[in-house]
Amino acid sequence: MCGITGWVSYDRDLRGSAEALDAMTETMACRGPDDRGTWIGGPAALGHRRLAIIDLPGGRQPMTADTPEGPVVIVYSGETYNFTELRRELTGRGHRFTTESDTEVVLRGYLEWGEALPERLNGMYAFAVWDGRQDKLVMVRDRMGIKPFYYYETPDGVLFGSEPKAILANPLARTRVTLDGLRELFTMVKTPGHAFWDGMNEVEPSTVVTLTRNGLRTRAYWTLETRPHTDDRDTTIARVRELLDDIVRRQLVSDVPRCTLLSGGLDSSAMTAIAARQLGERGERVRSFAVDFAGQAENFVADELRGTPDTPFVHDVAELAGTDHRDIVLDSQALADPEVRARVIRARDIPAGFGDMDASLYLLFRAIREHSTVALSGESADEVFGGYLQFFDEEARRAEMFPWLVRMASHFGDDTDVLRADVRADLNLDAYVRDGYAQAVKGVHRLDGESDFEYRMRTISHLHLTRFVRILLDRKDRASMAVGLEVRVPFCDHRLVEYVYNAPWALKSFDGREKSLLREATRDVLPRSVYDRVKSPYPSTQDPGYALALQENVKDLLARPSHRVFDLLDRDRVKRAAHRDAQITQASRRGLERTLDLALWLDLYDPEIVLG
């Protein structure tokens, strides 16, 4: 895993711009603490920060292949899990390798297959190839959008990077946010290609973006296609397990210490147990880590989302699988620490407003990084197998809107309440969500003869796999790479996604529960407690001390009435939330978190905000 960046300017020789390239590259230091490298040749400049995972001595980047027609240079972030098969095939075609790294396999693969290469890759990746033979830049992102990738068009070329901060370090990029950026921030619709910052775009998942002197062109090399599912229940369950075994085996490959993230839920427990069994066959023991909050187990209060605390289930899995387990216990002081909040915002480049769930994820990853460099996560199984409440909620099923938004306010509170009335009016968030939904459902294709109900459930699955999951994958990547931890997501393997997506909902929920296929496919490795457990989302602290700490931090902010945050937020509403004496509601807590995030982001980035 690494951080990449670069600049193509057809009207200038960038050999005089090494200082700007260095500045862009250094913003990626957290993503790649082990090494750095740059390459400049005429109109192209590439930068790389490396987190060494495979072939530690080799694999340095930018990596170059010299040809008679000109150099071909790559900067690559991620992992290609089928690189050994591709290496074997390329060797048979006459290619010779000087390293054991997957980066060289991707580079040689580009020399062999050109822009048709991505169709052959299995992995999580974002990479750019400068093809000096044709003076073109080729940017590629993995199918599910696991690894981030951004670009910013300039009058004579493009800037690009793993994160917006790399692009914003170049003087050609403006730190400006318009109404559309704020709409993305407050709606959770994840518009494809939208990057929050004005003038910046995401390389969309499963897309190749090619830049030549004639401009940019894009091509999708993979889509989530509708296909008939002809396997019966037993065959489907067996196929799911076969895929999981292969996926986990591939993703355990590493030359550095690896571990699993264990929450005690079905997804992470199944993945951890499979990994433990596979490593046990080689005489190894898997490490596992879980997050917990001080006093949570003793003082846990069940609610609609979380019926049970995680820790007892975590320990059941660790005992049965024989993992080398450690709980990472966090307290309210750490979660509310302004410095931790600032680090999270710097990691994400946006004031995301996820509050303690962002802070705890960052602190969990920071603690894990002291022991491991690679972690496997159960992220995305809910989107693939149908695990969220909205898959079963009749109102969410019927609503002509993004299903996760139906109960969002009741579960987590409405943090848009803190906005000024005039800003709310300008944003017109309801219309933005409606338009985004109408555009999103156009990508769903109905199977011939599919019932209305099955088609609706297909639509809900598609929306989660092409919109919602990308929000969580980006959050996971930024929090982990901010501390130099590579997190792999086995449930995002495109083979599994394609197969389960096309299984009818009646099959995905054949026992009337969530994630029926996954539960049955892994029942032999699960403790009974986890097999029977109802879905519980990522944990959030219930300690009232956290909310009180938020109030104190917001009171400090209110003492600065000229702060720019009050150009966006209603100061009186914020003040009422900060001085509320009764138990703080979920909505008030989210409003406080959003207020602090926005204020810190304004302090850190000093962006130009364009309203209207």
Side-chain angles (χ1 to χ4, degrees):
M1 199 71 71
C2 307
I4 65 172
T5 190
W7 180 9
V8 173
S9 177
Y10 286 113
D11 291 345
R12 70 177 84 186
D13 186 338
L14 291 180
R15 284 175 289 189
S17 302
E19 186 175 346
L21 178 63
D22 286 343
M24 296 169 70
T25 303
E26 288 314 298
T27 65
M28 299 288 94
C30 289
R31 297 186 71 91
D34 297 328
D35 197 10
R36 71 175 303 279
T38 59
W39 180 93
I40 302 178
L46 308 179
H48 186 266
R49 291 288 316 206
R50 187 184 184 204
L51 176 63
I53 302 293
I54 294 174
D55 187 11
L56 306 191
R60 295 197 67 192
Q61 298 184 50
M63 187 175 287
T64 303
D66 292 315
T67 77
E69 296 80 23
V72 178
V73 191
I74 189 171
V75 281
Y76 172 89
S77 170
E79 304 292 343
T80 297
Y81 301 124
N82 63 333
F83 79 98
T84 54
E85 295 98 317
L86 291 174
R87 181 187 177 101
R88 192 179 307 118
E89 181 178 357
L90 289 165
T91 299
R93 291 171 175 263
H95 291 267
R96 296 294 175 262
F97 292 85
T98 60
T99 75
E100 299 296 324
S101 71
D102 59 341
T103 302
E104 188 178 12
V105 172
V106 175
L107 176 58
R108 292 285 167 185
Y110 176 81
L111 293 174
E112 181 67 30
W113 297 299
E115 293 182 35
L117 166 67
E119 286 90 334
R120 297 173 177 267
L121 301 179
N122 177 324
M124 57 176 189
Y125 45 81
F127 63 89
V129 176
W130 172 251
D131 192 335
R133 301 170 301 182
Q134 303 174 59
D135 276 0
K136 72 175 181 180
L137 179 73
V138 180
M139 297 180 283
V140 181
R141 193 174 179 198
D142 65 68
R143 292 171 179 83
M144 295 296 291
I146 305 168
K147 301 314 300 174
F149 202 175
Y150 298 86
Y151 67 95
Y152 185 105
E153 291 186 66
T154 65
D156 68 334
V158 73
L159 307 169
F160 69 84
S162 292
E163 298 180 10
K165 60 176 62 69
I167 294 170
L168 296 175
N170 189 293
L172 294 179
R174 292 182 294 184
T175 54
R176 184 168 73 173
V177 176
T178 65
L179 284 173
D180 272 351
L182 295 176
R183 288 172 180 133
E184 283 292 308
L185 187 66
F186 281 96
T187 56
M188 288 189 71
V189 301
K190 194 56 177 171
T191 304
H194 205 294
F196 177 71
W197 297 95
D198 186 42
M200 196 180 298
N201 298 281
E202 279 191 324
V203 176
E204 292 186 35
S206 66
T207 297
V208 179
V209 178
T210 304
L211 173 73
T212 68
R213 293 181 184 274
N214 296 322
L216 283 169
R217 58 179 169 84
T218 63
R219 175 182 70 88
Y221 65 88
W222 181 83
T223 57
L224 189 56
E225 294 182 355
T226 296
R227 299 169 185 162
H229 184 85
T230 58
D231 292 343
D232 62 17
R233 181 194 298 180
D234 290 343
T235 305
T236 300
I237 291 170
R239 177 58 178 160
V240 167
R241 180 54 180 272
E242 179 186 12
L243 285 168
L244 286 174
D245 284 340
D246 179 68
I247 292 163
V248 172
R249 184 173 291 107
R250 290 176 182 274
Q251 297 199 19
L252 284 172
V253 174
S254 171
D255 292 338
V256 294
R258 66 263 204 253
C259 67
T260 66
L261 308 178
L262 179 58
S263 71
L266 175 61
D267 319 333
S268 66
S269 299
M271 178 269 301
T272 295
I274 291 173
R277 176 173 291 186
Q278 291 181 359
L279 289 179
E281 292 169 355
R282 309 201 308 247
E284 298 181 52
R285 190 180 181 197
V286 70
R287 292 177 175 176
S288 60
F289 294 88
V291 67
D292 196 9
F293 303 103
Q296 184 94 322
E298 298 82 3
N299 303 309
F300 180 82
V301 178
D303 58 26
E304 185 181 3
L305 285 179
R306 301 174 180 90
T308 52
D310 288 343
T311 301
F313 300 92
V314 166
H315 293 171
D316 286 350
V317 175
E319 181 179 0
L320 181 64
T323 73
D324 178 8
H325 181 74
R326 179 172 302 195
D327 292 324
I328 306 300
V329 181
L330 307 175
D331 60 35
S332 295
Q333 271 191 317
L335 294 172
D337 185 349
E339 179 55 34
V340 171
R341 186 176 298 276
R343 288 179 181 274
V344 170
I345 291 171
R346 288 191 193 101
R348 300 196 66 176
D349 292 314
I350 60 172
F354 279 39
D356 71 301
M357 291 188 289
D358 265 353
S360 65
L361 194 66
Y362 170 83
L363 291 170
L364 170 66
F365 289 156
R366 188 172 72 178
I368 291 173
R369 186 62 176 87
E370 297 176 6
H371 309 277
S372 296
T373 311
V374 172
L376 272 64
S377 166
E379 189 89 84
S380 308
D382 286 308
E383 290 81 1
V384 174
F385 289 96
Y388 293 118
L389 285 177
Q390 56 262 27
F391 280 91
F392 297 86
D393 184 295
E394 286 302 323
E395 184 181 353
R397 284 174 168 178
R398 292 192 303 268
E400 293 296 314
M401 69 180 299
F402 294 104
W404 54 89
L405 296 181
V406 172
R407 301 254 181 226
M408 183 70 72
S410 62
H411 289 327
F412 300 107
D414 182 6
D415 61 353
T416 65
D417 277 350
V418 295
L419 289 168
R420 285 174 37 164
D422 57 331
V423 175
R424 284 176 66 102
D426 287 341
L427 290 174
N428 195 2
L429 298 177
D430 290 342
Y432 190 73
V433 171
R434 285 196 304 271
D435 292 345
Y437 176 81
Q439 187 63 36
V441 296
K442 290 179 181 178
V444 189
H445 300 291
R446 188 169 188 164
L447 192 67
D448 289 344
E450 195 167 42
S451 70
D452 289 345
F453 175 73
E454 283 288 352
Y455 176 57
R456 180 57 188 164
M457 297 311 297
R458 178 184 296 280
T459 299
I460 291 174
S461 294
H462 194 279
L463 292 171
H464 280 84
L465 290 166
T466 58
R467 294 294 187 101
F468 190 68
V469 75
R470 296 178 186 177
I471 298 172
L472 301 185
L473 288 172
D474 186 70
R475 169 177 174 261
K476 177 270 307 171
D477 177 88
R478 301 300 192 83
S480 61
M481 294 308 294
V483 297
L485 177 71
E486 174 177 294
V487 176
R488 300 175 179 178
V489 277
F491 291 108
C492 274
D493 186 292
H494 70 279
R495 299 169 298 161
L496 181 68
V497 171
E498 290 172 339
Y499 184 73
V500 178
Y501 171 68
N502 282 298
W505 180 251
L507 191 54
K508 291 177 186 172
S509 59
F510 66 80
D511 59 359
R513 299 186 59 191
E514 76 283 358
K515 296 180 283 195
S516 307
L517 291 174
L518 177 60
R519 183 177 295 102
E520 288 305 308
T522 57
R523 67 179 303 166
D524 63 304
V525 295
L526 295 173
R528 187 72 199 191
S529 60
V530 172
Y531 179 87
D532 291 335
R533 190 186 186 195
V534 175
K535 160 71 182 173
S536 184
Y538 183 83
S540 178
T541 181
Q542 296 183 339
D543 185 352
Y546 172 70
L548 292 173
L550 292 178
Q551 286 184 305
E552 292 305 312
N553 290 338
V554 172
K555 287 175 184 177
D556 291 341
L557 178 63
L558 287 165
R560 302 160 59 193
S562 62
H563 196 287
R564 290 180 62 197
V565 75
F566 298 114
D567 294 338
L568 299 172
L569 304 185
D570 186 315
R571 191 173 186 277
D572 289 336
R573 285 180 178 269
V574 172
K575 185 176 181 180
R576 285 197 294 272
H579 289 84
R580 187 186 300 270
D581 292 328
Q583 183 176 4
I584 298 174
T585 65
Q586 188 68 32
S588 294
R589 178 167 137 175
R590 282 203 76 205
L592 293 169
E593 290 172 331
R594 178 69 80 179
T595 298
L596 292 170
D597 278 3
L598 278 167
L600 264 174
W601 172 72
L602 289 166
D603 290 340
L604 293 169
Y605 288 82
D606 191 24
E608 175 190 1
I609 307 293
V610 181
L611 300 176

